Amino acid sequence: MKLSQLGFFCAVVDHGTIAAAAASLHCVPSNITARLRELEIQLGVVLFNRENNRLLVTPEGRLVYRKAKQLIDLAAETRSLFSNDSMQGVLRVGALDVALANHLPERLVRYRLEAPGVELHIRPEHSLFLERLLMDGELDLILTDGPIQHPLLDSRLAFRERLIRVVPKALSSPTPQDLSGLELYVFGRTCHYRQQVDNWLESSGIQPRAILEIESYPSIFACIAQGIGFACIPESYVDRFASQAHTFQADQVPSLDSSDIYFVWRKNQQSPLIRKFIEVIDSQGV
């Protein structure tokens, strides 16, 4: 079944005769007659009662007309989707929690104002899972740790970030022995920050009393404030909790320093929506 067949059928119903429909469509009546016969054969129903050169729509024909008009209108709407300069599409973006909480909010507002026609979906996940979703085609763009070295992926710096060691205020210059008596709070192993912390522990020889997976920065800061543990936390979160600075001590650890966030996308992607998203988000600088 072709959309043109349905268009011929609807034109005959709208104009009342094949001759009038042919005139409106700038074609010969015999072409419309042939298309109507084909449509009736395909559907297995009679669409018109033919009496003395008159065409009267059958009950079945009325139902087909209703459905056909919906299809024709939808096709016209689809053809006009990209007829102007406005951005339209369904864009799926994945991002680290730190990017969503501390770097993206105001930028996303600006993007929504510039691209109201884009249906934007944001999904928070850990680093490794974000990369898997991007490779599987479930996400169009991710904001994650980088740069990415992969033959199918490309990346670009989005936001500067680094891990900061946060300890209870009483430990102004903690020794390895001090930290070994505390709990260490971390995210799960699919988080790139967790991998950095594990590598740091191994190289430093620090053995915390316990390593607990607590994927909530407010909860982590609350535990640190009570003097029972420490953590390695993105600097932007440390800045957000500055009002509680009297409860913790933050310092840099060279081996944990750089944890920048990158835009990552598939090299063979052809959509200008992805480039425009990066352009708008990045326009306020890193």
Side-chain angles (χ1 to χ4, degrees), residues 259-273:
S259 298
D260 293 333
I261 299 171
Y262 281 71
F263 299 108
V264 183
W265 63 93
R266 299 183 70 94
K267 287 184 177 179
N268 64 352
Q269 73 81 19
Q270 300 294 318
S271 173
L273 289 185

Side-chain angles (χ1 to χ4, degrees), residues 266-284:
R266 299 183 70 94
K267 287 184 177 179
N268 64 352
Q269 73 81 19
Q270 300 294 318
S271 173
L273 289 185
I274 296 174
R275 296 191 296 273
K276 185 62 177 180
F277 181 88
I278 294 174
E279 176 184 322
V280 173
I281 297 300
D282 194 41
S283 63
Q284 300 178 36

Side-chain angles (χ1 to χ4, degrees), residues 91-212:
L91 182 63
R92 291 186 167 88
V93 177
L96 298 177
D97 176 76
V98 62
L100 285 173
N102 303 331
H103 297 286
L104 281 174
E106 293 182 359
R107 290 172 165 86
L108 284 178
V109 171
R110 177 175 178 177
Y111 179 77
R112 295 309 304 141
L113 292 173
E114 291 197 20
V118 176
E119 184 180 315
L120 178 65
H121 298 270
I122 303 287
R123 178 170 178 171
E125 292 290 354
H126 289 174
S127 310
L128 297 182
F129 197 47
L130 284 173
E131 294 171 24
R132 186 186 313 162
L133 291 172
L134 179 64
M135 292 300 299
D136 290 343
E138 295 186 41
L139 293 175
D140 304 304
L141 174 72
I142 61 176
L143 287 103
T144 187
D145 308 285
I148 297 293
Q149 302 296 328
H150 193 284
L152 298 179
L153 302 178
D154 207 348
S155 63
R156 170 179 165 182
L157 178 64
F159 311 117
R160 295 290 185 185
E161 190 63 84
R162 57 183 176 179
L163 286 182
I164 301 293
R165 187 177 63 185
V166 180
V167 301
K169 190 68 173 182
L171 300 178
S172 58
S173 298
T175 65
Q177 290 74 22
D178 293 331
L179 297 179
S180 295
L182 298 176
E183 300 173 344
L184 172 62
Y185 310 117
V186 295
F187 275 42
R189 294 191 179 279
T190 56
C191 175
H192 178 69
Y193 296 155
R194 170 65 180 276
Q195 296 177 1
Q196 288 183 281
V197 172
D198 287 345
N199 293 337
W200 169 66
L201 287 177
E202 184 177 352
S203 63
S204 66
I206 296 173
Q207 296 181 334
R209 180 170 60 83
I211 299 178
L212 307 180

